[in-house]
Amino acid sequence: KGYSQLGLPTFVSNYFAAPVTISGSKNCICEGQPVTFTLNKIENSEYRWEAPGGFFLTTKDTTLTFKNPLPGTYKVTTFVFGCETTIDTFDLTIVPYPVADITTDKQPIICKGDWITMTTPYDENYEYEWTTVYERKNTIRDNPPVSKWYYLTVTNECDCVSRDSIFIEVRENPTVSITTEGEFPICEGDTITLIANPSETVSYHWTRDGEEIPDSSNQRYYATRSGFYQIDVQTDVGCTAKDTITLVFKETPNSIIATDKESYCDGDVAELSIVPDDGTYSYLWSNGATTSNIQVTESGIYSVEITNASLCTQYIEKDIIFYPNPEADILPEGDTLIICNGTSIDITADKDFQSYLWSTGETTKTITVNQEGNYSLIATDSNGCSVSVNQYIKFLSVNFSNIT
């Protein structure tokens, strides 16, 4: 049959040849990967394979590939001329592919200057490599000046690789400026319009002195008081800008038109005075006067424009009415009434009035007199206007003893 170099028959030489061993590409693979085992060939040999899952195969091939291997021990027994010679085993470990799944702490559209954190699940057996930021960690943080891609490679203990990538879009921040609409100086009681002028479509948020104010979400804000105003604008992706303005509303005069009494009668003089009278104020009355007080004798609405040192103006007015004086007579009528001694007479006002004051001190409409003299009446109507009238009463003595 043939002899070896040692002079031994070939079948004897084969029997004592080096043991058959299994070699695989790796003893650790990832799920779904195939594995190929290779044996060192011995002539006239046959191989019996045993694998996890109840697999058995006898073959003369020295290479065997498992497309869907199972983890566990792979065993091969070698037979030379039908005689069992060697047994070898190979322990195969199968692990999942590493997880490469990039998530961020915010939307992947950020504003210029913002930071963003990117992360993938951590495993102590994994190696992480980012190709844009040279960090070998599962989490990185960056503030890119421009939009860019980030690439991640994750390698596990079996040298299996997973990859992921993410695009981070960097938006320019908006700009905004505040302009005003209205006249200056602004005074108490005025309204000044604040207008936000953004560089793009934004939402608005106004504050005054750092506090919330009503109707603060519009482009325009109608300010009526002093304060430090700030507009904050924000784009749909959260990019922000702000501007500020300080408004000072000057004090406006707070005066009234005072009069010496409530109503006037024909012939009176009404004095209108500004209260309080500030020496720094200037005045312009509707009749052209420029003093702090005026005198008038006719009914009408009198107005005055008061301006202070800040050029803030107050406009006030007052309605002045002069009522006509009433007319009255004392009844019975006549310049002089003659009655007899020892008698009396009732004298009275010819119409009703608000009040009466006779020269006798009496305050009724009618009085009774029994002495000669001049009697006067001051009658006052409901407007406070008065009239004064007089009546002379003369008493005569009559001697009836001389009558025959």
Side-chain angles (χ1 to χ4, degrees):
K1 301 264 180 151
Y3 296 88
S4 68
Q5 293 179 351
L6 298 176
L8 296 172
T10 301
F11 76 92
V12 176
S13 176
N14 287 345
Y15 187 84
F16 292 102
V20 173
T21 58
I22 305 172
S23 61
S25 55
K26 294 184 294 184
N27 65 349
C28 181
I29 63 173
C30 287
E31 294 173 343
Q33 287 184 327
V35 64
T36 299
F37 296 107
T38 302
L39 307 176
N40 52 313
K41 184 175 178 61
I42 297 178
E43 295 295 333
N44 302 310
S45 297
E46 200 173 49
Y47 312 99
R48 186 177 67 195
W49 288 90
E50 300 176 44
F55 177 85
F56 291 94
L57 176 66
T58 301
T59 180
K60 292 182 178 182
D61 293 333
T62 58
T63 300
L64 184 61
T65 297
F66 291 86
K67 293 183 178 180
N68 296 294
L70 297 175
T73 300
Y74 289 75
K75 177 181 177 182
V76 64
T77 303
T78 304
F79 294 87
V80 178
F81 294 113
C83 298
E84 181 180 319
T85 60
T86 61
I87 297 174
D88 192 22
T89 59
F90 189 98
D91 292 324
L92 180 64
T93 300
I94 300 178
V95 298
Y97 271 90
V99 177
D101 182 17
I102 300 174
T103 58
T104 57
D105 63 340
K106 61 182 69 174
Q107 291 294 322
I109 303 176
I110 63 173
C111 308
K112 195 168 186 176
D114 286 353
W115 289 82
I116 188 168
T117 299
M118 291 161 278
T119 189
T120 191
Y122 174 74
D123 190 299
E124 62 181 3
N125 297 314
Y126 293 176
E127 291 183 359
Y128 305 90
E129 181 179 359
W130 299 85
T131 57
T132 310
V133 177
Y134 301 104
E135 293 277 356
R136 304 187 70 85
K137 303 175 181 177
N138 72 306
T139 297
I140 61 171
R141 191 167 183 262
D142 196 17
N143 62 335
V146 295
S147 301
K148 62 192 295 187
W149 280 96
Y150 289 81
Y151 300 93
L152 169 66
T153 300
V154 182
T155 306
N156 66 10
E157 68 272 26
C158 295
D159 293 329
C160 299
V161 173
S162 294
R163 294 179 175 86
D164 195 16
S165 62
I166 190 170
F167 183 74
I168 304 300
E169 182 180 348
V170 179
R171 298 274 186 92
E172 291 290 336
N173 286 303
T175 60
V176 66
S177 62
I178 298 174
T179 56
T180 59
E181 193 175 86
E183 295 184 358
F184 283 83
I186 47 177
C187 305
E188 292 175 345
D190 291 346
T191 297
I192 192 78
T193 303
L194 304 180
I195 307 170
N197 302 281
S199 57
E200 57 186 283
T201 302
V202 294
S203 60
Y204 303 91
H205 182 224
W206 293 92
T207 56
R208 181 183 58 240
D209 299 329
E211 297 182 355
E212 298 291 329
I213 51 181
D215 301 322
S216 63
S217 59
N218 299 313
Q219 184 178 7
R220 291 171 175 249
Y221 183 75
Y222 301 95
T224 57
R225 55 183 284 190
S226 300
F228 179 77
Y229 289 83
Q230 178 170 309
I231 181 61
D232 292 276
V233 298
Q234 182 172 321
T235 65
D236 58 345
V237 297
C239 299
T240 60
K242 67 180 180 180
D243 194 20
T244 61
I245 188 172
T246 298
L247 296 181
V248 178
F249 283 74
K250 306 284 188 179
E251 183 179 3
T252 298
N254 186 24
S255 300
I256 62 169
I257 299 176
T259 55
D260 53 343
K261 58 182 181 179
E262 291 299 319
S263 62
Y264 297 91
C265 305
D266 287 343
D268 289 345
V269 175
E271 183 163 338
L272 283 61
S273 302
I274 301 300
V275 178
D277 177 15
D278 191 304
T280 64
Y281 291 173
S282 64
Y283 308 94
L284 179 60
W285 291 88
S286 53
N287 64 358
T290 57
T291 56
S292 62
N293 54 52
I294 60 173
Q295 292 180 338
V296 299
T297 58
E298 295 180 353
S299 296
I301 297 177
Y302 294 85
S303 63
V304 61
E305 188 176 87
I306 308 171
T307 304
N308 63 14
S310 300
L311 301 181
C312 292
T313 299
Q314 180 190 19
Y315 180 88
I316 50 177
E317 60 183 29
K318 190 161 183 85
D319 190 6
I320 302 298
I321 299 177
F322 284 83
Y323 293 101
N325 290 313
E327 295 181 354
D329 281 317
I330 297 177
L331 300 178
E333 294 182 352
D335 293 336
T336 301
L337 295 178
I338 301 175
I339 62 173
C340 299
N341 284 332
T343 63
S344 64
I345 188 171
D346 289 337
I347 57 176
T348 183
D350 64 342
K351 60 178 67 72
D352 291 334
F353 288 90
Q354 187 73 22
S355 65
Y356 309 88
L357 179 60
W358 294 90
S359 54
T360 62
E362 294 170 276
T363 57
T364 57
K365 180 179 179 181
T366 301
I367 62 173
T368 300
V369 298
N370 54 17
Q371 293 183 7
E372 184 175 327
N374 186 45
Y375 291 86
S376 64
L377 168 65
I378 298 175
T380 303
D381 63 16
S382 59
N383 295 318
C385 297
S386 301
V387 61
S388 178
V389 291
N390 297 282
Q391 179 74 278
Y392 191 83
I393 307 296
K394 182 176 178 60
F395 284 84
L396 293 178
S397 297
V398 178
N399 187 354
F400 292 100
S401 63
N402 294 327
I403 298 176
T404 58

